[in-house]
Amino acid sequence: MTPSDISAFVTAEGIETIRTVFTDPHGILRGKTITASALQGALKNGIRVPSTLLLKDMSHRTVFPVWAEGGAPMQGASDVLLRPDPVSFKRWPHAPHSALIHCDVTTLDGAPIPFASRTLLQSCEEALAEEGLAATFGLEIEFQIFRVLDPQMAPRDATMPGTPPQVENTTQGTQYLTETRYAEVEPMLDRLRRAAQEMGMDVRSVEIEMGPSQYEFTFAPAGPGVTAEMAVNFRTLAKEICARYGLLASFMAKPALPNAAANGWHIHQSLCDRTGINLFTPKTNELSDMAAHWIAGLLIHADACCLLTNPTVNSYKRFVPHQLAPNHIGWAHDNRGAMVRAITAAGDPASRVENRLPDSSANPYFAFAAQLLSGLDGLRAGRTLPPPMTTPYGDTGQHLPSTLGAAIDAFAASDMLRTALTPVVARWLVTLKRAEWERYLAHISDWEQAEYFATL
């Protein structure tokens, strides 16, 4: 839609409120809800919000010293502008009086902020376009839906972060892709699927996943920016619709609940040239040269990119053997235990590679940027692909980082990422995530209390 189209639609459809949002560093939508009468001013002039929204960790603490002279990228909690993107305007299905529009984040004079999610991914797409290439990404998103027993709304539970709700399962037991389990929760999944489709998301499948209360939605492939926006919209949509029915949708990598399975977020990816030809389609049953170099780039930068694909302390609890999640850096032909799975065949225009490393807590803009930067480095350097893995959970091959702290160190040591993202962006992300890691290290766990309190 153009701005005039949006105004006409809002008037004709009786839209009362518009949620002007942007994707924060953690993949969470933030912003302001404006009324229809304020829409024209917002489209023309933008909306001012505090810059600290770009400086907060997952607990909503501002982790940069904004009140110290020279101590933060946006000193004094100054304002930034949200500039609505008319193309992203969509009606919010579960709140038909309301609409949603994504915004670019800029300084007050209109300069882009390099570590804003949309800006960062756009710069990576532009680098790929300079090589005459474009990427196509498809997503599989795993998550859980639980029934809320106690939302923990007592004032004592309003901590930073808040006390997690008490929940029970929506499906019982582990029955992967079974029809009867799907039938039990069909009304719940139908609500979510229909709402996603109303927003223009091309849902391809709705599945009962491996663990109890675990589900998977898959989507048609599209460009990186379009797919990232869709992923953020879907995650928000799932959480908001479920909340209206006394449910909790969680995209946490590995919930601390008995028998809960880990949630992966698999990125299918391919490249095409300016004519639209898929460059990952091989002429024989071997990989094309472009696919081989691209995979080699994904592998060599995997540990450094974990900060972008697996961004939380909890993410590293997912890297365990025999759980359909990788724990080594490597690739294989159609092997779901490998980090990168090559799904190619001679003459098949749908040939692609699947990176199974990311988890469902990732900021999609950052995770996609990691794919583009790593793959592009593999192409430019002509990197050599190692032999495929035959036993992905064996003792051979480099282990993935085992903690968020190790991932931070690997990211900070990467010359490629520092150069491609710029030192300003690299320092910002390291500062943001190191604050989260240090807060985790300072926490006294239940394990420590049980191990030491009565014994020592």
Side-chain angles (χ1 to χ4, degrees):
M1 290 188 176
T2 65
S4 58
D5 292 335
I6 291 173
S7 295
F9 181 86
V10 166
T11 300
E13 295 296 322
I15 300 295
E16 300 172 17
T17 55
I18 300 93
R19 305 181 191 192
T20 58
V21 299
F22 74 99
T23 304
D24 83 351
H26 313 289
I28 297 169
L29 288 183
R30 295 181 185 265
K32 290 186 177 182
T33 296
I34 62 173
T35 61
S37 63
L39 176 60
Q40 279 304 306
L43 290 171
K44 181 179 180 181
N45 302 314
I47 301 164
R48 294 171 74 125
V49 297
S51 58
T52 51
L53 295 177
L54 294 163
L55 308 177
K56 294 182 181 296
D57 68 4
M58 286 290 292
S59 73
H60 301 275
R61 290 176 171 87
T62 299
V63 301
F64 290 79
V66 294
W67 307 116
E69 184 176 357
M74 295 167 180
Q75 194 172 333
S78 56
D79 279 350
V80 293
L81 271 185
L82 302 186
R83 295 189 175 273
D85 176 9
V87 176
S88 71
F89 180 87
K90 290 180 173 62
R91 194 168 198 158
W92 214 215
H94 55 291
H97 68 284
S98 189
L100 180 82
I101 190 166
H102 284 258
C103 302
D104 292 304
V105 188
T106 72
T107 61
L108 296 183
D109 59 7
I113 294 173
F115 43 79
S117 295
R118 282 167 62 103
T119 301
L120 190 149
L121 179 57
Q122 183 179 4
S123 69
C124 297
E125 289 191 78
E126 290 170 353
L128 191 65
E130 289 173 2
E131 304 290 335
L133 302 170
T136 299
F137 287 163
L139 275 185
E140 302 174 26
I141 302 179
E142 296 173 354
F143 63 108
Q144 279 116 347
I145 300 177
F146 300 103
R147 189 172 294 106
V148 176
L149 300 177
D150 182 354
Q152 304 285 23
M153 298 298 286
R156 65 176 177 274
D157 296 315
T159 49
M160 295 179 68
T163 303
Q166 296 296 310
V167 299
E168 67 178 7
N169 285 325
T170 48
T171 61
Q172 201 281 333
T174 304
Q175 296 193 31
Y176 179 52
L177 292 181
T178 52
E179 170 59 25
T180 52
R181 283 290 181 257
Y182 182 87
E184 290 172 4
V185 292
E186 184 177 33
M188 176 183 75
L189 296 177
D190 279 347
R191 279 195 299 268
L192 185 50
R193 172 186 55 79
R194 288 168 181 156
Q197 290 171 327
E198 283 183 47
M199 291 192 72
M201 302 181 201
D202 191 348
V203 179
R204 291 299 177 89
S205 69
V206 181
E207 303 174 14
I208 300 295
E209 251 301 327
M210 190 65 66
S213 303
Q214 189 181 38
Y215 310 97
E216 179 181 271
F217 274 55
T218 68
F219 301 87
V226 172
T227 305
E229 183 178 295
M230 182 277 300
V232 172
N233 282 347
F234 177 76
R235 193 156 55 192
T236 306
L237 189 71
K239 295 186 79 67
E240 293 192 7
I241 289 179
C242 285
R244 294 191 174 208
Y245 290 89
L247 304 170
L248 171 69
S250 177
F251 295 79
M252 182 177 178
K254 185 69 171 71
L257 295 171
N259 305 309
N263 292 310
W265 195 68
H266 306 150
I267 304 176
H268 294 254
Q269 48 201 281
S270 61
L271 285 185
C272 66
D273 60 18
R274 289 191 173 96
T275 68
I277 298 297
N278 183 352
L279 301 175
F280 285 5
T281 300
K283 295 180 180 178
T284 68
N285 286 330
E286 299 299 321
L287 293 175
S288 71
D289 288 343
M290 295 290 279
H293 294 322
W294 187 268
I295 295 172
L298 295 180
L299 299 183
I300 199 166
H301 298 295
D303 57 346
C305 285
C306 273
L307 197 60
L308 302 171
T309 57
N310 307 84
T312 70
V313 169
N314 180 254
S315 293
Y316 299 86
K317 308 296 174 67
R318 176 174 161 261
F319 296 162
V320 295
H322 310 297
Q323 297 296 312
L324 297 178
N327 66 344
H328 287 81
I329 297 173
W331 76 282
H333 291 283
D334 198 11
N335 187 321
R336 285 180 168 82
M339 189 194 100
V340 176
R341 174 183 171 223
I343 311 171
T344 63
D348 182 2
S351 292
R352 61 199 185 277
V353 300
E354 175 192 18
N355 191 345
R356 300 175 62 82
L357 176 60
D359 66 65
S360 296
S361 67
N363 177 335
Y365 293 92
F366 291 178
F368 290 172
Q371 311 308 293
L372 297 180
L373 295 178
S374 299
L376 187 54
D377 177 75
L379 294 180
R380 287 172 171 169
R383 295 195 181 277
T384 302
L385 187 65
M389 308 177 85
T390 55
T391 55
Y393 297 121
D395 294 329
T396 59
Q398 180 184 345
H399 279 272
L400 288 162
S402 59
T403 66
L404 178 62
I408 293 170
D409 292 341
F411 176 90
S414 171
D415 292 333
M416 186 278 287
L417 289 174
R418 189 183 310 106
T419 300
L421 295 173
T422 74
V424 169
V425 173
R427 283 195 301 270
W428 166 81
L429 186 58
V430 167
T431 300
L432 198 65
K433 299 309 294 185
R434 206 177 287 284
E436 182 177 340
W437 176 241
E438 290 174 353
R439 189 160 52 85
Y440 169 74
L441 292 178
H443 172 71
I444 300 174
S445 67
D446 291 343
W447 184 93
E448 293 171 87
Q449 187 74 358
E451 187 80 3
Y452 308 123
F453 182 63
T455 306
L456 297 179

